[in-house]
Structure formats: structure tokens, C-alpha cells
Amino acid sequence: MRNADALAKFKHHLTAKGLRVTNQRLAIFDAAFAQKDHFTAEELLDHARAIDESVSRATVYRTLPIMTEGALLREVDIGRNQKYYLPNHDSSAQVAQVICLDCDKIFEISAPFMSWYGNTVSSKLGLTPVSQRLQVSAHCDTLKATGVCKHRA
Amino acid sequence: MRNADALAKFKHHLTAKGLRVTNQRLAIFDAAFAQKDHFTAEELLDHARAIDESVSRATVYRTLPIMTEGALLREVDIGRNQKYYLPNHDSSAQVAQVICLDCDKIFEISAPFMSWYGNTVSSKLGLTPVSQRLQVSAHCDTLKATGVCKHRA
DNA sequence: CTGCCTGCAAACTCTTTGCACGAAT
DNA sequence: ATTCGTGCAAAGAGTTTGCAGGCAG
């Protein structure tokens, strides 16, 4: 999804929900879609403020769930005390995360079989799956061998 | 693992680490292993205090990582703002969680294929897997049909 | 006796919320 | 003109930590 398409989708999502298209929300959108990697709420605030200085932390926190619900962002919770987000360029993709414990990098990996698993297990319990998470925490081989984690930016 | 075995393992883990066997730690252990289901730190505090009134919140929070590291408890993070724990009766088991969004119950499900997945994906990235999490969030079919979630205790 | 362990309360981090002002429709 | 959105600062939840006294080894 190109940013222009995503922007149109965002505006459509807002109006469809009876929400307003404000400069702050647009700045937050732009800041989010300029990121190449996962980001936190605080990082998003910094970047959004670089675009529109008036953006406040509260508005970032209020906008993130709106964008997540509209499938513009994906929320990634890896069991730390803060959540990570990333632009959702393909909302149909089933993805898992591999987290490098040495450099803290999060890799998004295609995992198409995940939904099969969720359906199988849930149906046995009389449940209908809504979402799934598959995460692998791992150590860096290169770090162990050479003392440097090759993934570190 | 029967509680007596677990208790021996706990004491052994403490002494092996140069940690002391205190009444508070034993009360926390007993409280944890008396639970039939997942519990939070706060719930554990309540139960531990029923055994030894002197147990403080701080000691519970300081003991939980010790027990987790010693494989006496398993820590389950389902992306809420608090962690859940449960006695780790079989530390070799690969388990996934199915979370009922209607009654908040957490089901532990055997998922022996998880390690295969972790190894496969990690090796491509030059990483060695340490741990894995597979979680399915789901809605209750019975609730939808009859208005009552049959899993609710 | 030594030094780890403890309870208390304050601190911390991330996130949410009440309020009065401001802006989108 | 209405009503929603906003920034600010305070509150909130869960967890961690500094300190002075207490108990295990």
C-alpha cells in the first residue's frame, strides 16, 4: 500500500466513524508512515512533533488505537512494558515476530499456517479465533562468534 | 510434578544460587502451587498472606522471577498490563495459549510443533531461538448462541 | 556475626483521563 | 453554532527500588 492509498484509507476510516480529520491526526499519520521499522508511542510523538509541533502525547495515544482499528497500523506486543507499532502495508498477511534479544530488533516473518492452527485449536474449545500471535525470542549467532550482532543498526 | 518434588526443587534452586530459604519465600511457593489456574502477582500476594501474614508485595515481586528462572513457574504474558503465572508441572511441554475474550479464561494447549517453527525461522536469520509464544485470542460460540459463556467459572 | 532478605513507601514507566479551550464541520 | 478534538497536567496501574532493620546460615 502506497502512502497515498493509506492516507485515503485513513481519511475514509475517520469520516466513516464520524471522526474529524485534524492536522494533528494527519501529522501522526505522516510520522507513522515515514517509519521504516517498528516504533513506540514516544518515538511517534517525536516524529509527529517534527511535522506539527502542536501534537501532544495524549493525542498520539488517542490516535494509535484509531489507526490500529482501521488496520492502518499493526500493534506488536512482545511482552515488554511498551507496545510497538508499524505501518500495516498488507493487512491480509499473517505474520510472526522473531525478536533478537541481543540487538532488540524485531523481524516480521510470514507465517501463513498460523490461522490454520488458530482455527483447529479454537474450534475444539468452542471458540472462534479473532487474532493470533506467534513470537520467537532468539540470540544472535554472529554476536556469539564475533562479538558483534550483525542485525544491530 | 507433585508439590513435594517441586518444593525440593525450589529449595535446591535457592541454595544453588546462594539464596536463602526464608519463610516468606516458602509461603509464596505454597500459595503458588495451591493455585489451580493462572494467577497474577496481586492474587499471589493475597494467598501468600493467608499463609504468612508478613509477606509483602515487594517480596512477591522479587520472588516471582526467581521461581520463573528456576522453572517452577511459567510466566504468561498475553499483552495485558499484567503478567499471569502458573505452576510449571511439566517444564518440557511446549504450550500455546488460547484466550477467551468473553470470560478472560486462559487455556493452555499443547503445541509440540512450535519448536520446529522457531528453529526453522530463526536459523534463516542467523539466530538461535530461546523461547516462543503462540497465542490465540477468541470469542465464545456459546456466548453468542445462548448469551452465556460456558467457560466462565 | 555477616550479609542477604524484608517491609515500607516512594519512585518509575507507560498509558489514560478530566477539564477548559480550540477547531472542524 | 455545535460538537468533537486538543493540550496540559494529574491520575492510574503494575512493577521496581532505596533504605533501615531483621533473620538465615
Side-chain angles (χ1 to χ4, degrees):
Chain A
M1 187 188 290
R2 299 200 325 280
N3 285 13
D5 300 334
L7 178 57
K9 184 176 176 182
F10 181 43
K11 288 182 178 174
H12 180 265
H13 178 70
L14 288 175
T15 47
K17 286 260 168 185
L19 302 171
R20 291 174 182 171
V21 177
T22 65
N23 287 333
Q24 289 90 340
R25 283 173 178 162
L26 292 175
I28 291 167
F29 171 91
D30 287 342
F33 274 76
Q35 302 308 305
K36 303 294 182 211
D37 209 340
H38 299 75
F39 54 87
T40 64
E42 200 66 25
E43 288 165 356
L44 182 57
L45 172 62
D46 287 344
H47 289 111
R49 277 188 165 155
I51 297 170
D52 180 342
E53 188 183 0
S54 79
V55 173
S56 71
R57 180 171 287 106
T59 297
V60 169
Y61 277 105
R62 285 190 271 237
T63 303
L64 280 170
I66 296 171
M67 295 183 71
T68 302
E69 200 210 345
L72 290 145
L73 295 181
R74 276 195 297 123
E75 185 183 270
V76 179
D77 188 312
I78 60 170
R80 309 225 174 130
N81 48 13
Q82 68 192 340
K83 286 175 177 155
Y84 293 84
Y85 298 86
L86 80 169
N88 190 18
H89 294 286
D90 177 5
S91 53
S92 67
Q94 291 273 357
V95 289
Q97 285 85 40
V98 181
I99 301 121
C100 178
L101 297 170
D102 298 311
C103 68
D104 278 357
K105 189 159 172 52
I106 305 170
F107 301 92
E108 299 279 331
I109 306 289
S110 175
F113 56 86
M114 246 171 43
S115 57
W116 162 79
Y117 175 82
N119 291 330
T120 305
V121 164
S122 298
S123 64
K124 289 182 186 170
L125 293 168
L127 296 165
T128 301
V130 173
S131 65
Q132 288 157 79
R133 311 159 64 192
L134 175 53
Q135 299 174 346
V136 182
S137 296
H139 275 299
C140 178
D141 298 337
T142 321
L143 174 71
K144 204 168 191 175
T146 70
V148 179
C149 178
K150 71 174 178 183
H151 301 116
R152 196 185 300 267
Chain B
M1 188 189 287
R2 299 202 325 280
N3 285 13
D5 300 334
L7 178 57
K9 184 176 176 182
F10 181 42
K11 288 183 178 173
H12 180 266
H13 178 69
L14 288 175
T15 47
K17 285 261 169 186
L19 303 171
R20 293 177 180 170
V21 177
T22 65
N23 287 334
Q24 289 89 342
R25 283 174 177 161
L26 291 175
I28 291 168
F29 171 90
D30 287 342
F33 274 76
Q35 302 307 307
K36 304 294 182 209
D37 209 340
H38 299 74
F39 54 86
T40 64
E42 202 65 25
E43 288 165 357
L44 183 57
L45 173 62
D46 287 344
H47 289 111
R49 277 187 166 156
I51 297 171
D52 179 343
E53 188 184 0
S54 80
V55 172
S56 72
R57 180 171 288 105
T59 297
V60 168
Y61 277 104
R62 285 191 272 236
T63 303
L64 280 170
I66 296 171
M67 295 183 71
T68 302
E69 200 210 343
L72 290 146
L73 296 181
R74 275 195 296 123
E75 186 182 271
V76 179
D77 188 313
I78 59 170
R80 311 229 171 128
N81 48 12
Q82 69 193 340
K83 285 175 178 154
Y84 292 85
Y85 297 87
L86 80 167
N88 190 18
H89 294 288
D90 178 5
S91 53
S92 68
Q94 291 273 356
V95 290
Q97 284 85 42
V98 181
I99 301 120
C100 177
L101 297 169
D102 298 311
C103 69
D104 278 357
K105 189 158 172 52
I106 305 170
F107 300 93
E108 298 278 333
I109 306 288
S110 174
F113 57 86
M114 247 171 43
S115 57
W116 162 81
Y117 175 82
N119 291 330
T120 305
V121 164
S122 298
S123 64
K124 288 181 185 166
L125 293 167
L127 296 166
T128 302
V130 173
S131 66
Q132 289 158 76
R133 310 159 63 190
L134 174 52
Q135 299 175 345
V136 182
S137 296
H139 275 301
C140 178
D141 299 337
T142 322
L143 175 72
K144 203 168 191 175
T146 69
V148 179
C149 177
K150 70 174 176 180
H151 301 117
R152 196 183 299 270

